[in-house]
Amino acid sequence: TKFSVQILAVLLLYFSCDMRIDNLHGIFGLYEMPMYISLPLTLIVCVGLINSINLIDGIDGLSSGYSLMASLLFGAWAYMSGDKINLLISCSLIGALVPFFIYNVFGKKCKMFIGDAGSHLLGIIFCIVSLNTLNDPVSSKMDSALIPFVFAVLSHPIMDTLRVMTMRMCKGKSPFMADKTHLHHALIGQGMSHLATTLIIIGLNLVVVATWAFCFQRGMSATAQLFIAVAAAILCIILPYPLLVKRKR
């Protein structure tokens, strides 16, 4: 049922709002793509992103804290590129998440939880912001950075979800079966508080963003920027999990 609604929402974005991934902006030397590639690619990426945001919502403050960080970065990009729509969306999301984060993490008598509805809403909003970012006209220099930038900002939910689902399938389990194999579970297992875990994960994600920014400033190609950002994400987001589990044992 969730998948059906998610696919319907992405199809509405694709056909009604003209929001789609139809240009790779120089990744592997590719640019505009035909609809028979663009449509399934947009569906896979957006439905995957919606679910990845939902899956990181396992402890107090993580989904909202991470979303605050991502909104700040998308908002900064929108400001620099003159994208007023994304800037408005990002600022609105920040304004909504700040009080929620406070009551979710520090609330005692009055505590708020985001739930599936809230995390799915965050997921579709980040789909909209990401697609707007990829489709917004920018200078030729910034064009090569569009996909690497979006990946770097969203690297934690994307890479953590891919690792968790791969581990489940390797064990012969359903990739959608709930367990405690996310990075935040491993950090909690080391005795970290929910807030400390959230800050560590945000810090690791920012290392990936900083790595991409360094590559962009050095004038690297779009493909090189993406490869190095993925390598940084593997080191910062995938590799810590087995190390933490081994240390706990």
Side-chain angles (χ1 to χ4, degrees):
T1 302
K2 287 181 182 179
F3 264 124
S4 300
V5 176
Q6 291 163 4
I7 290 170
L8 176 61
V10 176
L11 288 175
L12 286 172
L13 291 179
Y14 190 97
F15 290 107
S16 299
C17 305
D18 201 29
M19 292 182 180
R20 60 193 65 179
I21 303 172
D22 58 3
N23 192 326
L24 291 184
H25 301 281
I27 301 293
F28 305 116
L30 301 174
Y31 289 89
E32 293 187 8
M33 299 179 294
M35 181 179 174
Y36 65 85
I37 297 177
S38 170
L39 178 56
L41 179 62
T42 304
L43 278 171
I44 292 170
V45 170
C46 290
V47 171
L49 179 58
I50 292 169
N51 284 284
S52 68
I53 298 295
N54 180 44
L55 288 172
I56 66 168
D57 180 37
I59 59 173
D60 291 344
L62 181 54
S63 59
S64 55
Y66 163 80
S67 297
L68 274 169
M69 180 272 300
S71 299
L72 285 167
L73 293 172
F74 277 122
W77 181 278
Y79 178 79
M80 291 186 294
S81 63
D83 185 352
K84 295 180 180 179
I85 294 176
N86 260 8
L87 182 59
L88 178 61
I89 294 173
S90 299
C91 290
S92 300
L93 196 54
I94 292 168
L97 286 171
V98 166
F100 173 83
F101 180 83
I102 292 171
Y103 279 97
N104 180 231
V105 176
F106 303 106
K108 294 182 179 178
K109 292 184 177 179
C110 299
K111 195 172 182 69
M112 298 172 70
F113 297 96
I114 200 164
D116 274 2
S119 59
H120 279 78
L121 177 60
L122 288 177
I124 196 67
I125 289 175
F126 282 124
C127 286
I128 292 169
V129 171
S130 299
L131 294 174
N132 277 342
T133 301
L134 295 178
N135 294 320
D136 190 48
V138 292
S139 66
S140 56
K141 181 183 179 182
M142 294 178 70
D143 186 67
S144 67
L146 288 174
I147 291 179
F149 166 73
V150 171
F151 169 79
V153 174
L154 301 172
S155 57
H156 173 70
I158 292 172
M159 299 301 283
D160 192 53
T161 298
L162 286 175
R163 179 190 57 76
V164 166
M165 289 194 167
T166 301
M167 286 178 61
R168 291 170 182 170
M169 288 187 289
C170 288
K171 295 177 181 178
K173 299 179 181 178
S174 167
F176 308 107
M177 181 179 293
D179 57 23
K180 293 186 179 296
T181 56
H182 287 279
L183 179 57
H184 56 261
H185 291 131
L187 288 167
I188 291 291
Q190 298 294 319
M192 301 286 185
S193 67
H194 287 207
L195 179 59
T197 298
T198 296
L199 294 177
I200 289 171
I201 288 175
I202 290 173
L204 291 172
N205 203 129
L206 287 174
V207 171
V208 180
V209 175
T211 303
W212 158 79
F214 174 79
C215 297
F216 173 63
Q217 291 296 327
R218 299 286 293 180
M220 294 185 182
S221 67
T223 306
Q225 290 179 48
L226 181 61
F227 274 157
I228 294 175
V230 170
I234 291 172
L235 289 173
C236 294
I237 297 166
I238 291 183
L239 188 58
Y241 180 82
L243 295 177
L244 289 169
V245 172
K246 183 178 179 180
R247 182 175 182 269
K248 183 180 179 181
R249 288 173 180 169

